[in-house]
Amino acid sequence: MDASQIPEPLRARMAEMDARSPVEKVGWLLRAHVADTDGPAEIREELGMTARHSARSLNQALEAIDTLLTHEQPPNTLLYLVAGDGGRPLDDDPTDRGAAAYLRELAVMVREAIDSAR
């Protein structure tokens, strides 16, 4: 669809989402698809439903995860994202390292959901 055919309020919302920082995009992903779920199966289901509708936000979140994992973040950034926004306690390793491992696993689930929706 030609961008000029998209209603202005929707274009403005898309621009607002595009402008978010990687931390904000990953926080959105965690709040929208991880928090209040019962585990990986439910997360996969949530991601799949979103990907079938539109993978745009998931692609942005995936890129944001990659950015956060490849660039050094302030201490506890990843931990606060996963434990706070995602509601995951990380009992085995409640550190940024444990949160990074969780985000890598989440990135795999997001990629699978996007690929399945194609």
Side-chain angles (χ1 to χ4, degrees):
M1 173 185 277
D2 181 4
S4 66
Q5 295 176 343
I6 298 173
E8 178 54 36
L10 184 54
R11 276 188 285 157
R13 176 76 176 132
M14 290 168 64
E16 175 188 322
M17 291 179 74
D18 291 346
R20 290 181 179 172
S21 72
V23 169
E24 291 170 319
K25 289 175 184 177
V26 173
W28 165 83
L29 176 70
L30 291 163
R31 287 186 306 276
H33 298 291
V34 174
D36 298 325
T37 61
D38 289 330
E42 191 173 348
I43 293 168
R44 282 184 177 90
E45 185 178 324
E46 293 277 335
L47 293 170
M49 285 188 296
T50 298
R52 285 187 296 277
H53 177 68
S54 172
R56 185 175 190 279
S57 61
L58 293 180
N59 279 312
Q60 286 187 344
L62 185 57
E63 183 178 314
I65 290 173
D66 290 342
T67 297
L68 292 182
L69 293 177
T70 57
H71 296 88
E72 190 166 334
Q73 302 301 313
N76 298 319
T77 298
L78 301 181
L79 176 62
Y80 292 152
L81 276 169
V82 173
D85 290 322
R88 295 297 181 239
L90 300 172
D91 293 330
D92 294 337
D93 187 1
T95 65
D96 279 330
R97 185 179 67 242
Y102 184 87
L103 289 173
R104 281 187 204 91
E105 292 173 12
L106 181 60
V108 168
M109 288 188 260
V110 173
R111 281 186 185 94
E112 289 171 349
I114 292 168
D115 290 344
S116 292
R118 290 183 187 171

